[in-house]
Every structure is written in structure tokens, then in C-alpha cells.
Amino acid sequence: QYTLVTAGLTDGCDFEVTVDLAALYEAGLISEDDLGVTPVTVTYTATLKEGTTAGDYYNTAWVSYPNSETEQDKVKVETFKIDVFKYDQADEKGLAGAEFALYDETAIDQDGNLIEGATPVLEGIVSGEDGHVVIDGLDAGKYALVETKAPDNYVKSDTPLMLTIEAGIEPNVVNVKFANSKIPHTGGMGTMLFTASGMALLAMAGAVMVIPHSSRKKEER
């Protein structure tokens, strides 16, 4: 008893639903007392387009009838973003190449650990040359940011970073700092210095041994 139009609209709408009350009356679905006072409820779901950035968006609805229309009803829909700064904790310089996965709070157990097999909201998130990575188009709520790969020569964090996005914040951005420390070096220059010092000690010991031997030969002659 209704028609749905989703194309060719010129009034800025994405869709229109038309209900023919006369047809409903003739079909016996409403009575004469219902005409003009029958509530009509339209329920629909909407999903943000891929690539939508953080901000406030509005769904607007109204009813048109011959020669007039109702006041427009607007509902605000908020979407947010998380700006993560990955940096070296020693000098606070940005680090590129860190990889993350984002989970909602249900993926974290009571001990603060990631539940095995949990499905991420988003994965494959990589920090840029300036150390920043932006995760956009998020709802308000609680999330867990998990580092899946550390930058080269840095220690990967195994502790999820819990985040909360509160509805109504202005601007629609949550800024987060995520530090890493370098992998401790047990080889390299330290080993080379130790080896060189050992060789010097051996050379000195050899000299001590040779000198008495040479002196002994001179005395025998």
C-alpha cells in the first residue's frame, strides 16, 4: 500500500515513500475516522559512505501533502576519528612503519588482554613518515588499539591501548600518543671493543713472555 522512490528525486532526498490513504480506506485497512490522524511510521537504517570523515551529519525527514508539508525533522549523526602519534620515547620523534589493529571493547578480557580470535574493527593501519595515523569514520564508544608490528629496531607493545570516544566532543577528534623504545643492543660495537681489548691483552702477555726468553739466550752466550 505504498510506493518507494530512490532515483530521479530533485528535492535533495535519498528516497521518498508515498502512502495513498484513499487506497488504504478503499481496501478497508483504515476507517473514515483514521483519515488525517493515522500515524505513519517509516523505519530505515543508514550507513555512512566509505571515506566519510569525522563531523556532524544530519538525517532530515518531513511529510508532504496537497498544498503543504510538515516542519522538517532533523536528527544529528556524529562520526569521529582517532589521531595516533607513534613516537620514540627517548626523543619524541615520530616513527613510521608501525602497524595497528583497532578493536571494540568486547575484544578485551578482564585482565586487559586481547581475546584470541577477536575480529578487529579495522586492521592494517600504518603510521606515516611523521608518525601519525588517522582512523576516521568511527562511532562514539570504547575501543582498543593494538600494535601488530613495531617500527624497525623497536620493541613491539603487547598491551592494548584503551580509548574512549565520547558523544558530543568538539572537535570530533581523539588524539592519542603511543610510545616505543628501541631494541637493546647486546652485540655490535660493544662486542668489537671487548674483542679488541682482549687481543691487546694477549699481545702484551706475548711480549712479557718473549723478553725473558731473549735475555736468557744472551746470558748463555
Side-chain angles (χ1 to χ4, degrees):
Q1 303 295 335
Y2 68 90
T3 58
L4 173 64
V5 179
T6 60
L9 301 173
T10 59
D11 54 5
C13 291
D14 294 310
F15 68 89
E16 287 183 356
V17 177
T18 302
V19 179
D20 189 338
L21 296 180
L24 292 176
Y25 174 76
E26 292 175 358
L29 298 176
I30 60 175
S31 66
E32 188 171 340
D33 294 335
D34 295 323
L35 294 176
V37 296
T38 301
V40 176
T41 302
V42 177
T43 303
Y44 66 95
T45 59
T47 303
L48 285 174
K49 295 179 180 179
E50 186 175 350
T52 299
T53 57
D56 296 335
Y57 300 87
Y58 293 88
N59 282 336
T60 307
W62 67 94
V63 176
S64 299
Y65 50 92
N67 302 322
S68 189
E69 64 183 28
T70 65
E71 183 178 348
Q72 295 186 0
D73 182 22
K74 291 186 177 182
V75 177
K76 183 171 75 170
V77 179
E78 297 176 306
T79 183
F80 305 89
K81 70 179 178 182
I82 299 172
D83 187 341
V84 183
F85 177 52
K86 171 59 96 176
Y87 67 99
D88 185 323
Q89 67 178 18
D91 56 17
E92 296 194 359
K93 290 184 178 179
L95 297 175
E99 295 186 14
F100 301 94
L102 186 71
Y103 295 83
D104 63 27
E105 61 176 334
T106 61
I108 306 301
D109 63 21
Q110 294 181 346
D111 297 324
N113 299 315
L114 179 66
I115 298 173
E116 186 176 355
T119 302
V121 175
L122 191 64
E123 57 186 340
I125 311 163
V126 183
S127 61
E129 292 298 324
D130 60 356
H132 284 270
V133 56
V134 175
I135 308 169
D136 220 331
L138 298 172
D139 289 331
K142 294 183 178 181
Y143 297 90
L145 186 67
V146 177
E147 186 174 30
T148 57
K149 180 184 176 184
D152 292 342
N153 302 318
Y154 283 83
V155 179
K156 182 175 76 68
S157 172
D158 293 326
T159 303
L161 180 64
M162 301 304 299
L163 308 170
T164 300
I165 300 177
E166 296 182 359
I169 62 171
E170 294 291 345
N172 301 37
V173 182
V174 174
N175 294 295
V176 180
K177 297 181 72 175
F178 203 128
N180 276 93
S181 59
K182 288 186 176 180
I183 297 173
H185 290 284
T186 56
M189 185 59 71
T191 301
M192 291 176 63
L193 289 173
F194 177 79
T195 303
S197 300
M199 292 176 64
L201 289 172
L202 288 174
M204 291 175 63
V208 171
M209 292 174 66
V210 169
I211 291 172
H213 184 67
S214 300
S215 300
R216 190 165 55 249
K217 285 186 175 180
K218 289 181 179 179
E219 290 174 358
E220 290 175 356
R221 290 179 184 176

